[in-house]
Amino acid sequence: MSDSSRETAEGAGWGEAGRGAYRRLMPDHVEKLFWFDPGTMWAARNGVLASWFGDPTGRTRGRWVAAREAAGAPADKVIRRHEGERFSFMVIGDPGEGDDSQYAVVPGFLKVSQDTAFAVIASDVIYPVGTTDDYGPKFFRPYQDYPAPIYAIPGNHDWYEDLGAFMRVFCDDAPPPAAEPRPRPLSRAWWRTLLWHRPRPADEELLAQARKLRSAPGQTAVQPGPYWAIDAGPVRIVGIDTGLLGTLDAEQGAWLREVSRGPRPKILVTGSPLYVDGEHHPCPIEGGGTVDDIVRDPAHHYVAAIGGDIHNYQRYPVDVGGRTIQYVVAGGGGAFMHATHTIPRVSVANVTEDDFRCYPLRGDSLAFYSRLYGRRLRLPRLLTLTEAEATAVVSERLGIRPGRTPAADVRVTRRARLVATLLGAGSRPDRGSRFRLPVKKIYTQLFSPGSVSYSPPFFKCFLRLDVTPEQVRLRCFAATGKRPQELDPPVEDEIVIPLA
């Protein structure tokens, strides 16, 4: 097993090791995704419109689900697989940018996923707006050599074209549901409808050619809808669709309560993580209650909740009345990296910094962003920190042990502290910075880079879960875009979850 980022800087992808061979898998022409391009921002406007004028996702989802049931999908939305008591499956979150940062994950994913029964995509299958024509280079091509079925739950970006492409690919070419009735003129819903981004016509020949890349009998999978449950071996895996704004409609909430009943151990997969960046986001359900209320209920026997949307890895082992639920963020499957160095020292739900795990390590995150903005702003001598300097200054600022021991001769300088502040590095709960909150908000919402600025290490990741009647072994594997980690993906985190 190769070194992880917790052991050596080379294990994190720093150093002179060559770029991996993943580029051989990519199309000859890759259209770069510029997140701040006005056309991209305008196409992705539906999330903003939903927050301003009311969110229609629940009603649209209900019509999709009704159409699937009319076509013969099971009403309980349970996929019953015939796995033995011991099996394995993969989870990969937020993959679909279609460029280097996505394809760099593929060689390690294919190696680690050998002998797995299926894979699950957790959130945002396709960026930027879930267009049908993007499924070729961003789904079918990268995973053409994965021999088993792939199931998915949509993220907010998959909803930017009303989920039509997602339903076609994963739900047996589901026919579009009836249109919503016209709203009253000049009402909030009328303004939303007037400004709403509509799906573009699909290139049917292009989609047909793309489907051939994953057309083997063992690769096919049909979902009952955008939310579902999989019964496999001793566990039930429950996938929920949190739509545009990270909430559940009342109909899906009622289904979740029903499908969660019973003593069978359960794992939740969700588009919006319940614990992230040191904060609790329980996910409200229309009409009352939250998703986390259901997960925490001891009668439902949830052992883990895995969420996408945030493009890194985090894990919070939360004690809920004498038992532990592992809350995991696993959105590092291909999109640009969300920083971890902006996460303050963790103290939430009795989870401390010693219990918390993240990838990339905060120091590597700070070093990555310092290099990025040193190049962008043409101030490399001022802004760029070595990985050792970044590790040391994060350790000092948060008052924590460094994730990887820096060299003995590394000093924390005024420049390093200034760079850490400018780039939104977190702080200790008992010694908050007057700059931290506004800087973090501006930094994470405005200055997170698009992948056009990327070069290795990418700090991508994916999960493998090995299930037995007694336990689930969850491992987070790294993909840096460098050759050593491509040949032998390092384990960045590992936890054994008892099922008893």
Side-chain angles (χ1 to χ4, degrees), residues 378-404:
R378 299 182 181 180
L379 295 170
R381 295 184 64 183
L382 174 62
L383 293 181
T384 301
L385 301 178
T386 67
E387 52 83 19
E389 288 175 316
T391 296
V393 72
V394 165
S395 177
E396 177 193 79
R397 171 158 291 202
L398 273 65
I400 61 174
R401 292 193 303 269
R404 181 176 62 246

PDB file of all heavy atoms in Angstrom, residues 378-404:
ATOM      1  N   ARG A 378      -0.341  36.717 -10.002  1.00  0.00           N
ATOM      2  CA  ARG A 378       1.051  37.006 -10.370  1.00  0.00           C
ATOM      3  C   ARG A 378       1.842  37.548  -9.188  1.00  0.00           C
ATOM      4  O   ARG A 378       2.654  38.475  -9.310  1.00  0.00           O
ATOM      5  CB  ARG A 378       1.106  37.971 -11.552  1.00  0.00           C
ATOM      6  CG  ARG A 378       0.431  37.416 -12.810  1.00  0.00           C
ATOM      7  CD  ARG A 378       0.515  38.338 -13.985  1.00  0.00           C
ATOM      8  NE  ARG A 378      -0.164  37.762 -15.138  1.00  0.00           N
ATOM      9  CZ  ARG A 378      -0.256  38.354 -16.338  1.00  0.00           C
ATOM     10  NH1 ARG A 378       0.308  39.550 -16.521  1.00  0.00           N
ATOM     11  NH2 ARG A 378      -0.883  37.754 -17.327  1.00  0.00           N
ATOM     12  N   LEU A 379       1.582  36.931  -8.034  1.00  0.00           N
ATOM     13  CA  LEU A 379       2.305  37.284  -6.803  1.00  0.00           C
ATOM     14  C   LEU A 379       2.829  36.004  -6.148  1.00  0.00           C
ATOM     15  O   LEU A 379       2.581  35.746  -4.966  1.00  0.00           O
ATOM     16  CB  LEU A 379       1.374  38.025  -5.839  1.00  0.00           C
ATOM     17  CG  LEU A 379       0.855  39.390  -6.285  1.00  0.00           C
ATOM     18  CD1 LEU A 379      -0.233  39.875  -5.338  1.00  0.00           C
ATOM     19  CD2 LEU A 379       1.994  40.398  -6.359  1.00  0.00           C
ATOM     20  N   PRO A 380       3.550  35.171  -6.899  1.00  0.00           N
ATOM     21  CA  PRO A 380       3.946  33.875  -6.341  1.00  0.00           C
ATOM     22  C   PRO A 380       4.852  34.005  -5.123  1.00  0.00           C
ATOM     23  O   PRO A 380       4.736  33.212  -4.180  1.00  0.00           O
ATOM     24  CB  PRO A 380       4.661  33.196  -7.511  1.00  0.00           C
ATOM     25  CG  PRO A 380       5.097  34.311  -8.404  1.00  0.00           C
ATOM     26  CD  PRO A 380       4.038  35.359  -8.275  1.00  0.00           C
ATOM     27  N   ARG A 381       5.744  34.972  -5.102  1.00  0.00           N
ATOM     28  CA  ARG A 381       6.673  35.087  -3.973  1.00  0.00           C
ATOM     29  C   ARG A 381       5.953  35.507  -2.701  1.00  0.00           C
ATOM     30  O   ARG A 381       6.348  35.145  -1.597  1.00  0.00           O
ATOM     31  CB  ARG A 381       7.791  36.077  -4.298  1.00  0.00           C
ATOM     32  CG  ARG A 381       8.690  35.629  -5.437  1.00  0.00           C
ATOM     33  CD  ARG A 381       9.841  36.572  -5.668  1.00  0.00           C
ATOM     34  NE  ARG A 381      10.738  36.617  -4.521  1.00  0.00           N
ATOM     35  CZ  ARG A 381      11.800  37.402  -4.423  1.00  0.00           C
ATOM     36  NH1 ARG A 381      12.093  38.228  -5.420  1.00  0.00           N
ATOM     37  NH2 ARG A 381      12.559  37.382  -3.354  1.00  0.00           N
ATOM     38  N   LEU A 382       4.873  36.274  -2.837  1.00  0.00           N
ATOM     39  CA  LEU A 382       4.124  36.727  -1.666  1.00  0.00           C
ATOM     40  C   LEU A 382       3.140  35.662  -1.187  1.00  0.00           C
ATOM     41  O   LEU A 382       3.047  35.376   0.017  1.00  0.00           O
ATOM     42  CB  LEU A 382       3.360  38.005  -1.999  1.00  0.00           C
ATOM     43  CG  LEU A 382       2.401  38.514  -0.903  1.00  0.00           C
ATOM     44  CD1 LEU A 382       3.170  38.872   0.367  1.00  0.00           C
ATOM     45  CD2 LEU A 382       1.591  39.693  -1.397  1.00  0.00           C
ATOM     46  N   LEU A 383       2.395  35.041  -2.112  1.00  0.00           N
ATOM     47  CA  LEU A 383       1.254  34.213  -1.725  1.00  0.00           C
ATOM     48  C   LEU A 383       1.560  32.719  -1.612  1.00  0.00           C
ATOM     49  O   LEU A 383       0.865  32.006  -0.890  1.00  0.00           O
ATOM     50  CB  LEU A 383       0.109  34.409  -2.724  1.00  0.00           C
ATOM     51  CG  LEU A 383      -0.547  35.790  -2.734  1.00  0.00           C
ATOM     52  CD1 LEU A 383      -1.675  35.829  -3.765  1.00  0.00           C
ATOM     53  CD2 LEU A 383      -1.085  36.160  -1.368  1.00  0.00           C
ATOM     54  N   THR A 384       2.554  32.233  -2.321  1.00  0.00           N
ATOM     55  CA  THR A 384       2.771  30.797  -2.358  1.00  0.00           C
ATOM     56  C   THR A 384       3.430  30.287  -1.088  1.00  0.00           C
ATOM     57  O   THR A 384       4.484  30.787  -0.672  1.00  0.00           O
ATOM     58  CB  THR A 384       3.628  30.407  -3.577  1.00  0.00           C
ATOM     59  OG1 THR A 384       2.959  30.831  -4.773  1.00  0.00           O
ATOM     60  CG2 THR A 384       3.845  28.905  -3.621  1.00  0.00           C
ATOM     61  N   LEU A 385       2.812  29.284  -0.478  1.00  0.00           N
ATOM     62  CA  LEU A 385       3.368  28.602   0.685  1.00  0.00           C
ATOM     63  C   LEU A 385       3.753  27.188   0.290  1.00  0.00           C
ATOM     64  O   LEU A 385       3.047  26.538  -0.485  1.00  0.00           O
ATOM     65  CB  LEU A 385       2.340  28.527   1.826  1.00  0.00           C
ATOM     66  CG  LEU A 385       1.788  29.845   2.369  1.00  0.00           C
ATOM     67  CD1 LEU A 385       0.754  29.551   3.450  1.00  0.00           C
ATOM     68  CD2 LEU A 385       2.897  30.726   2.920  1.00  0.00           C
ATOM     69  N   THR A 386       4.869  26.701   0.833  1.00  0.00           N
ATOM     70  CA  THR A 386       5.174  25.287   0.652  1.00  0.00           C
ATOM     71  C   THR A 386       4.186  24.469   1.470  1.00  0.00           C
ATOM     72  O   THR A 386       3.524  24.981   2.389  1.00  0.00           O
ATOM     73  CB  THR A 386       6.602  24.973   1.124  1.00  0.00           C
ATOM     74  OG1 THR A 386       6.672  25.145   2.549  1.00  0.00           O
ATOM     75  CG2 THR A 386       7.615  25.878   0.446  1.00  0.00           C
ATOM     76  N   GLU A 387       4.100  23.193   1.148  1.00  0.00           N
ATOM     77  CA  GLU A 387       3.173  22.351   1.903  1.00  0.00           C
ATOM     78  C   GLU A 387       3.569  22.291   3.375  1.00  0.00           C
ATOM     79  O   GLU A 387       2.714  22.214   4.261  1.00  0.00           O
ATOM     80  CB  GLU A 387       3.074  20.951   1.297  1.00  0.00           C
ATOM     81  CG  GLU A 387       4.377  20.217   1.058  1.00  0.00           C
ATOM     82  CD  GLU A 387       4.891  19.532   2.306  1.00  0.00           C
ATOM     83  OE1 GLU A 387       4.098  19.314   3.245  1.00  0.00           O
ATOM     84  OE2 GLU A 387       6.086  19.220   2.344  1.00  0.00           O
ATOM     85  N   ALA A 388       4.888  22.350   3.667  1.00  0.00           N
ATOM     86  CA  ALA A 388       5.339  22.323   5.058  1.00  0.00           C
ATOM     87  C   ALA A 388       4.963  23.608   5.787  1.00  0.00           C
ATOM     88  O   ALA A 388       4.523  23.588   6.943  1.00  0.00           O
ATOM     89  CB  ALA A 388       6.846  22.099   5.104  1.00  0.00           C
ATOM     90  N   GLU A 389       5.134  24.761   5.110  1.00  0.00           N
ATOM     91  CA  GLU A 389       4.746  26.037   5.719  1.00  0.00           C
ATOM     92  C   GLU A 389       3.241  26.070   5.978  1.00  0.00           C
ATOM     93  O   GLU A 389       2.796  26.509   7.050  1.00  0.00           O
ATOM     94  CB  GLU A 389       5.130  27.198   4.802  1.00  0.00           C
ATOM     95  CG  GLU A 389       6.601  27.486   4.704  1.00  0.00           C
ATOM     96  CD  GLU A 389       6.893  28.567   3.687  1.00  0.00           C
ATOM     97  OE1 GLU A 389       6.300  28.534   2.584  1.00  0.00           O
ATOM     98  OE2 GLU A 389       7.722  29.457   3.990  1.00  0.00           O
ATOM     99  N   ALA A 390       2.459  25.617   5.013  1.00  0.00           N
ATOM    100  CA  ALA A 390       1.005  25.646   5.162  1.00  0.00           C
ATOM    101  C   ALA A 390       0.554  24.726   6.286  1.00  0.00           C
ATOM    102  O   ALA A 390      -0.337  25.075   7.077  1.00  0.00           O
ATOM    103  CB  ALA A 390       0.342  25.246   3.846  1.00  0.00           C
ATOM    104  N   THR A 391       1.167  23.555   6.389  1.00  0.00           N
ATOM    105  CA  THR A 391       0.830  22.628   7.466  1.00  0.00           C
ATOM    106  C   THR A 391       1.119  23.241   8.820  1.00  0.00           C
ATOM    107  O   THR A 391       0.313  23.147   9.759  1.00  0.00           O
ATOM    108  CB  THR A 391       1.620  21.319   7.295  1.00  0.00           C
ATOM    109  OG1 THR A 391       1.209  20.683   6.077  1.00  0.00           O
ATOM    110  CG2 THR A 391       1.378  20.371   8.463  1.00  0.00           C
ATOM    111  N   ALA A 392       2.251  23.917   8.939  1.00  0.00           N
ATOM    112  CA  ALA A 392       2.642  24.506  10.220  1.00  0.00           C
ATOM    113  C   ALA A 392       1.733  25.659  10.618  1.00  0.00           C
ATOM    114  O   ALA A 392       1.328  25.774  11.779  1.00  0.00           O
ATOM    115  CB  ALA A 392       4.095  24.969  10.150  1.00  0.00           C
ATOM    116  N   VAL A 393       1.378  26.525   9.675  1.00  0.00           N
ATOM    117  CA  VAL A 393       0.575  27.686  10.033  1.00  0.00           C
ATOM    118  C   VAL A 393      -0.866  27.266  10.356  1.00  0.00           C
ATOM    119  O   VAL A 393      -1.503  27.834  11.261  1.00  0.00           O
ATOM    120  CB  VAL A 393       0.616  28.762   8.930  1.00  0.00           C
ATOM    121  CG1 VAL A 393      -0.173  28.363   7.700  1.00  0.00           C
ATOM    122  CG2 VAL A 393       0.088  30.095   9.466  1.00  0.00           C
ATOM    123  N   VAL A 394      -1.394  26.261   9.675  1.00  0.00           N
ATOM    124  CA  VAL A 394      -2.733  25.761  10.008  1.00  0.00           C
ATOM    125  C   VAL A 394      -2.733  25.146  11.398  1.00  0.00           C
ATOM    126  O   VAL A 394      -3.664  25.364  12.199  1.00  0.00           O
ATOM    127  CB  VAL A 394      -3.211  24.750   8.945  1.00  0.00           C
ATOM    128  CG1 VAL A 394      -4.405  23.955   9.464  1.00  0.00           C
ATOM    129  CG2 VAL A 394      -3.585  25.459   7.665  1.00  0.00           C
ATOM    130  N   SER A 395      -1.701  24.390  11.716  1.00  0.00           N
ATOM    131  CA  SER A 395      -1.596  23.777  13.042  1.00  0.00           C
ATOM    132  C   SER A 395      -1.561  24.840  14.132  1.00  0.00           C
ATOM    133  O   SER A 395      -2.235  24.719  15.163  1.00  0.00           O
ATOM    134  CB  SER A 395      -0.348  22.906  13.112  1.00  0.00           C
ATOM    135  OG  SER A 395      -0.187  22.352  14.395  1.00  0.00           O
ATOM    136  N   GLU A 396      -0.789  25.904  13.896  1.00  0.00           N
ATOM    137  CA  GLU A 396      -0.714  26.991  14.874  1.00  0.00           C
ATOM    138  C   GLU A 396      -2.050  27.705  15.004  1.00  0.00           C
ATOM    139  O   GLU A 396      -2.523  27.973  16.114  1.00  0.00           O
ATOM    140  CB  GLU A 396       0.373  27.984  14.461  1.00  0.00           C
ATOM    141  CG  GLU A 396       0.474  29.197  15.381  1.00  0.00           C
ATOM    142  CD  GLU A 396       1.317  30.302  14.789  1.00  0.00           C
ATOM    143  OE1 GLU A 396       0.807  31.057  13.924  1.00  0.00           O
ATOM    144  OE2 GLU A 396       2.486  30.431  15.206  1.00  0.00           O
ATOM    145  N   ARG A 397      -2.662  28.010  13.876  1.00  0.00           N
ATOM    146  CA  ARG A 397      -3.887  28.815  13.903  1.00  0.00           C
ATOM    147  C   ARG A 397      -5.038  28.082  14.574  1.00  0.00           C
ATOM    148  O   ARG A 397      -5.821  28.675  15.315  1.00  0.00           O
ATOM    149  CB  ARG A 397      -4.280  29.196  12.475  1.00  0.00           C
ATOM    150  CG  ARG A 397      -5.647  29.854  12.382  1.00  0.00           C
ATOM    151  CD  ARG A 397      -5.777  30.670  11.138  1.00  0.00           C
ATOM    152  NE  ARG A 397      -4.925  31.849  11.210  1.00  0.00           N
ATOM    153  CZ  ARG A 397      -5.121  32.954  10.477  1.00  0.00           C
ATOM    154  NH1 ARG A 397      -6.114  33.011   9.633  1.00  0.00           N
ATOM    155  NH2 ARG A 397      -4.324  33.976  10.597  1.00  0.00           N
ATOM    156  N   LEU A 398      -5.151  26.768  14.314  1.00  0.00           N
ATOM    157  CA  LEU A 398      -6.256  26.007  14.882  1.00  0.00           C
ATOM    158  C   LEU A 398      -5.923  25.395  16.232  1.00  0.00           C
ATOM    159  O   LEU A 398      -6.814  24.894  16.913  1.00  0.00           O
ATOM    160  CB  LEU A 398      -6.698  24.900  13.919  1.00  0.00           C
ATOM    161  CG  LEU A 398      -7.739  25.296  12.866  1.00  0.00           C
ATOM    162  CD1 LEU A 398      -7.203  26.316  11.888  1.00  0.00           C
ATOM    163  CD2 LEU A 398      -8.241  24.076  12.136  1.00  0.00           C
ATOM    164  N   GLY A 399      -4.650  25.416  16.608  1.00  0.00           N
ATOM    165  CA  GLY A 399      -4.256  24.791  17.861  1.00  0.00           C
ATOM    166  C   GLY A 399      -4.439  23.292  17.846  1.00  0.00           C
ATOM    167  O   GLY A 399      -4.918  22.702  18.812  1.00  0.00           O
ATOM    168  N   ILE A 400      -4.038  22.654  16.733  1.00  0.00           N
ATOM    169  CA  ILE A 400      -4.215  21.215  16.568  1.00  0.00           C
ATOM    170  C   ILE A 400      -2.889  20.581  16.186  1.00  0.00           C
ATOM    171  O   ILE A 400      -1.959  21.249  15.737  1.00  0.00           O
ATOM    172  CB  ILE A 400      -5.266  20.890  15.481  1.00  0.00           C
ATOM    173  CG1 ILE A 400      -4.824  21.448  14.124  1.00  0.00           C
ATOM    174  CG2 ILE A 400      -6.635  21.432  15.874  1.00  0.00           C
ATOM    175  CD1 ILE A 400      -5.713  21.068  12.967  1.00  0.00           C
ATOM    176  N   ARG A 401      -2.817  19.262  16.356  1.00  0.00           N
ATOM    177  CA  ARG A 401      -1.663  18.534  15.856  1.00  0.00           C
ATOM    178  C   ARG A 401      -1.692  18.543  14.338  1.00  0.00           C
ATOM    179  O   ARG A 401      -2.764  18.376  13.735  1.00  0.00           O
ATOM    180  CB  ARG A 401      -1.679  17.087  16.361  1.00  0.00           C
ATOM    181  CG  ARG A 401      -1.461  16.945  17.853  1.00  0.00           C
ATOM    182  CD  ARG A 401      -1.169  15.490  18.219  1.00  0.00           C
ATOM    183  NE  ARG A 401      -2.240  14.610  17.790  1.00  0.00           N
ATOM    184  CZ  ARG A 401      -3.292  14.287  18.546  1.00  0.00           C
ATOM    185  NH1 ARG A 401      -3.408  14.799  19.763  1.00  0.00           N
ATOM    186  NH2 ARG A 401      -4.220  13.465  18.101  1.00  0.00           N
ATOM    187  N   PRO A 402      -0.552  18.715  13.698  1.00  0.00           N
ATOM    188  CA  PRO A 402      -0.555  18.703  12.230  1.00  0.00           C
ATOM    189  C   PRO A 402      -0.936  17.331  11.704  1.00  0.00           C
ATOM    190  O   PRO A 402      -0.596  16.299  12.289  1.00  0.00           O
ATOM    191  CB  PRO A 402       0.894  19.058  11.865  1.00  0.00           C
ATOM    192  CG  PRO A 402       1.696  18.709  13.077  1.00  0.00           C
ATOM    193  CD  PRO A 402       0.793  18.936  14.255  1.00  0.00           C
ATOM    194  N   GLY A 403      -1.686  17.330  10.601  1.00  0.00           N
ATOM    195  CA  GLY A 403      -2.063  16.050  10.012  1.00  0.00           C
ATOM    196  C   GLY A 403      -0.870  15.270   9.521  1.00  0.00           C
ATOM    197  O   GLY A 403      -0.895  14.045   9.474  1.00  0.00           O
ATOM    198  N   ARG A 404       0.179  15.979   9.143  1.00  0.00           N
ATOM    199  CA  ARG A 404       1.430  15.365   8.718  1.00  0.00           C
ATOM    200  C   ARG A 404       2.557  16.182   9.334  1.00  0.00           C
ATOM    201  O   ARG A 404       2.565  17.413   9.219  1.00  0.00           O
ATOM    202  CB  ARG A 404       1.529  15.367   7.198  1.00  0.00           C
ATOM    203  CG  ARG A 404       2.781  14.721   6.641  1.00  0.00           C
ATOM    204  CD  ARG A 404       2.754  14.690   5.119  1.00  0.00           C
ATOM    205  NE  ARG A 404       2.724  15.999   4.500  1.00  0.00           N
ATOM    206  CZ  ARG A 404       1.700  16.483   3.799  1.00  0.00           C
ATOM    207  NH1 ARG A 404       0.604  15.773   3.623  1.00  0.00           N
ATOM    208  NH2 ARG A 404       1.750  17.695   3.274  1.00  0.00           N
TER     209      ARG A 404
END
